[in-house]
Amino acid sequence: MVVLLVVSSVCALSLGTPYVPPHLLAGALLEGDTTLAGIVVTELRVPRLVLALVAGACLGAAGLVLQEALRNPLAVPEMLGVSSGAALGVAAPLVLALSLPAAVQPLLAIGGAALGGGLTLFAAGLGRSPSAVLLTGAAVAAALQAALLVLMVMADQLDLQLIYRYLLGSLSARTWDDVAGLWPWLLVVAPALVLCAPVLSVMRLGDEDAEALGVRAQRARLAALAVAVVLIAPVTAVCGPVAWVGFLAPHLARWFAPAAGAVRWLPWSAAWGAVVVTVADVPARLALAPVETPVGAWTALLGVPVGVALTRSGGRGRGRSRRGAAGAAGAEGAR
């Protein structure tokens, strides 16, 4: 993971037009280089790299929260109406020609994500059955995507191109202002994640056992969805719905530490999410240069086959993972 992160970060800062040799990056970053190469690195490539790291970490952590809360490795934001709802909340004002300040976009995304996730839980009976939540979420996501298609039909040609690129997820032309808009939400959700991780370990035992250990499963599932919404929506407001990061990152975390529990998986899932988005952004910038492709297309191309392979190969470690998680959850519940 560290090797992938370092190599992809160096490539993100060095490659492109203009090309900046790796040995000159430190000078451009630390000495405030005023040349064209220095300005490109500090004002365009560095904020894009930071945004890729932060967005990937948020999506990876949100994916693990949803999968653990629903006890289903296929529970991802794209299949629960969360990402589609956030995208709908941001795209609707653009099509309806409503002039809103940029600071309102995260609030619109959070509202749309909460709407999608709330519809999923209420339609599934407030989350009584994790399998019902997943199936209902797929239906809600399909309905919200249909609403997005209706908006795209109503849009003019320029808005249609903007919405299309946004719906695929893109880090193009992002600046420090976009990065700064994420920090308030991260400060809010970070303590909630710390408190959420031990509860997720208990919920892996099942609703009845979790209730016996003092965890109210329905409320915990609603709280987990709220945490996931606050993680996903601001990222979606800035970058669009970057697909399948929330699916791949938790599987990578479990594959490398099958006997751990949610408390240990959570930081590793966030780290792997950051790596996935950073690695995918390199071909997104360079594969068809000078034309940039959306990073969401590359995360889907990487995430789906690798995630399926990890799921198929994880059978040998799944039993150990469940036993280890059950033991950790029992100890945390006893405390």
Side-chain angles (χ1 to χ4, degrees):
M1 184 185 68
V2 173
V3 171
L4 282 174
L5 186 60
V6 171
V7 172
S8 60
S9 298
V10 172
C11 291
L13 297 178
S14 295
L15 302 181
T17 304
Y19 168 72
V20 181
H23 66 276
L24 298 180
L25 287 176
L29 294 173
L30 300 177
E31 298 175 6
D33 194 350
T34 57
T35 63
L36 174 61
I39 294 174
V40 168
V41 170
T42 56
E43 298 299 326
L44 294 178
R45 295 180 185 174
V46 173
R48 180 168 180 156
L49 174 61
V50 173
L51 185 60
L53 294 171
V54 174
C58 291
L59 295 173
L64 182 73
V65 168
L66 291 174
Q67 291 177 16
E68 293 297 305
L70 299 176
R71 302 196 307 275
N72 193 318
L74 299 179
V76 291
E78 292 79 14
M79 294 185 65
L80 294 174
V82 177
S83 292
S84 300
L88 181 62
V90 176
L94 179 63
V95 175
L96 300 177
L98 299 177
S99 59
L100 298 174
V104 178
Q105 284 191 350
L107 297 177
L108 295 174
I110 288 178
L115 174 65
L119 284 175
T120 298
L121 286 182
F122 281 106
L126 288 177
R128 291 187 178 90
S129 170
S131 59
V133 172
L134 188 61
L135 293 174
T136 307
V140 171
L144 294 174
Q145 288 170 1
L148 282 170
L149 291 176
V150 172
L151 288 177
M152 294 176 71
V153 171
M154 297 169 54
D156 58 28
Q157 190 64 31
L158 179 59
D159 289 342
L160 183 61
Q161 293 178 2
L162 293 174
I163 293 174
Y164 180 73
R165 291 185 64 86
Y166 170 78
L167 293 179
L168 290 178
S170 177
L171 299 177
S172 178
R174 300 301 186 265
T175 63
W176 286 114
D177 291 336
D178 298 303
V179 178
L182 294 178
W183 292 118
W185 304 103
L186 295 181
L187 294 177
V188 170
V189 78
L193 272 177
V194 174
L195 297 174
C196 182
V199 178
L200 294 176
S201 296
V202 178
M203 291 184 67
R204 283 180 62 85
L205 301 175
D207 289 359
E208 293 182 358
D209 291 337
E211 295 275 358
L213 291 172
V215 175
R216 297 184 178 182
Q218 293 184 28
R219 293 186 179 181
R221 198 165 288 124
L222 287 170
L225 177 65
V227 171
V229 163
V230 180
L231 283 169
I232 296 166
V235 172
T236 304
V238 175
C239 308
V242 183
W244 296 106
V245 178
F247 172 72
L248 179 57
H251 283 283
L252 287 169
R254 293 190 190 95
W255 194 79
F256 281 98
V263 175
R264 288 183 57 192
W265 284 333
L266 187 59
W268 285 109
S269 183
W272 276 113
V275 170
V276 169
V277 177
T278 305
V279 170
D281 193 43
V282 175
R285 280 202 312 122
L286 304 175
L288 299 178
V291 178
E292 289 192 11
T293 53
V295 68
W298 290 94
T299 56
L301 288 174
L302 294 172
V304 173
V306 175
V308 170
L310 290 173
T311 302
R312 291 176 61 88
S313 65
R316 57 185 176 83
R318 194 169 294 129
R320 286 183 294 143
S321 172
R322 288 175 179 169
R323 290 193 297 270
E332 290 163 357
R335 289 197 295 269

